[in-house]
Amino acid sequence: MIIPATLETSMCAWRRRIGEQVDCWTHVVIVRNGKSRTLRVPCKGLKALQRSLNHDVLKHLDRERASYCRAGRGVLRAAAAHEHRPALLHRDIAKFFPSVSPSRVVRTLIGEGFSPYHARLITSVCTLDGELPQGAPTSVTLGNLVLKSLDRRLSALCRKHGLTYTRYVDDLAISGGEIRLRNIAAHIDRIIADEGWETGEDKGGLYGRGEYREYLGISVGGLLEVGKKTASKFDAHFAALEAGEIDLLTFRQRTGWARAVRANSYAKRG
């Protein structure tokens, strides 16, 4: 795998700065639904380097069909793949980004064709404190590459059984016949464990006919609709609009994707 000379020179310079313990990262705490999450955001120069690395090198390797967290795909298309399916199996990889070690990134990049030197160089400017940091431009792409083996194994299994598999970052969904899903659910979990991942306890489950099914904030049991939790947030935005706390433009920005959900419904596209 070839890396442009100017990009390699920049990475070497930033590796030295990081090695000298220059302050290259900022910790940002965000709170959503009462839960806090810490993002580690690179400084302006390091972020520019990572964006170049992502655009010029890494994104060309991120083409697995089951992966939807990349350009040209996204949440709506991932959810649309499971619309009107009889049953849905949802799995979540626990603490995904913190569990991706630098050594795993290095092994993955070598498997993608990089020399050991370049694999370690890329890893040195894209990982922090022994993990893949949330907030870096390269983290999602590297995460997709690290999960490529899992995607391929689950995709092959699902094709064999006539099921549909998608993954958005660490959210995995498989849909199709309920009996088939129940029969292979344990096999799916063994594959996830065999690849070195743990599933989250607070997310996931198997939902059959007559049960409410939601994936990535979107109801997929019938026509695509905004999920129940997300709908309650929309109600809060509307209340804020009526109270004059936000203007109409802000309201439309926060709720406009509901129209996109309906537009992406498979039945309505067809």
Side-chain angles (χ1 to χ4, degrees):
M1 186 63 60
I2 299 175
I3 296 178
T6 54
L7 183 58
E8 180 176 348
T9 300
S10 295
M11 284 194 291
C12 289
W14 276 103
R15 180 175 61 179
R16 287 193 296 270
R17 289 194 63 182
I18 294 170
E20 294 167 357
Q21 297 185 339
V22 177
D23 189 10
C24 301
W25 298 82
T26 301
H27 290 61
V28 179
V29 178
I30 59 174
V31 179
R32 290 180 180 175
N33 302 325
K35 296 182 179 180
S36 63
R37 175 180 298 177
T38 301
L39 300 182
R40 274 84 72 77
V41 181
C43 66
K44 184 176 180 181
L46 181 55
K47 181 183 289 187
L49 169 71
Q50 291 174 349
R51 283 175 173 165
S52 295
L53 175 63
N54 204 45
H55 181 270
D56 298 337
V57 179
L58 297 177
K59 77 170 188 179
H60 302 294
L61 306 173
D62 183 13
R63 299 191 180 280
E64 198 64 27
R65 291 187 63 184
S67 172
Y68 279 76
C69 190
R70 54 191 174 89
R73 312 204 90 184
V75 168
L76 298 183
R77 290 188 62 183
H82 304 285
E83 183 181 23
H84 274 309
R85 305 284 280 173
L88 178 76
L89 176 67
H90 183 206
R91 289 290 185 263
D92 167 72
I93 298 176
K95 299 178 181 178
F96 172 62
F97 287 104
S99 66
V100 180
S101 65
S103 60
R104 187 157 195 162
V105 176
V106 170
R107 291 195 303 272
T108 297
L109 293 175
I110 291 175
E112 293 290 340
F114 292 95
S115 69
Y117 168 75
H118 283 145
R120 289 192 294 269
L121 180 60
I122 292 171
T123 302
S124 69
V125 298
C126 295
T127 58
L128 176 66
D129 297 334
E131 62 186 56
L132 202 57
Q134 284 186 273
T138 48
S139 289
V140 169
T141 303
L142 288 172
N144 286 342
L145 297 180
V146 166
L147 289 170
K148 184 179 288 189
S149 175
L150 175 65
D151 287 341
R152 289 181 174 178
R153 291 181 68 180
L154 291 182
S155 293
L157 178 67
C158 290
R159 283 195 300 269
K160 179 180 178 181
H161 292 276
L163 303 170
T164 299
Y165 165 65
T166 66
R167 177 184 58 77
Y168 188 87
V169 192
D170 53 1
D171 273 298
L172 286 59
I174 298 173
S175 63
E178 183 173 353
I179 295 176
R180 289 187 179 183
L181 276 176
R182 294 192 183 279
N183 288 339
I184 70 168
H187 189 182
I188 290 168
D189 290 337
R190 284 195 296 271
I191 290 176
I192 295 172
D194 185 56
E195 289 291 324
W197 310 108
E198 295 182 5
T199 53
E201 297 180 357
D202 59 337
K203 295 174 71 174
L206 198 159
Y207 308 93
R209 290 186 183 277
E211 294 183 280
Y212 178 72
R213 300 192 289 282
E214 186 173 318
Y215 177 50
L216 301 174
I218 299 174
S219 173
V220 297
L223 295 178
L224 296 186
E225 295 290 349
V226 175
K228 291 180 178 179
K229 291 182 179 179
T230 306
S232 66
K233 295 178 186 177
F234 283 8
D235 291 340
H237 293 322
F238 185 72
L241 176 66
E242 288 190 316
E245 297 172 0
I246 60 175
D247 57 25
L248 182 59
L249 177 60
T250 301
F251 173 77
R252 288 176 175 173
Q253 289 173 337
R254 294 181 179 179
T255 62
W257 73 277
R259 293 186 293 275
V261 170
R262 300 186 184 95
N264 275 266
S265 168
Y266 178 83
K268 292 186 178 181
R269 286 200 311 271

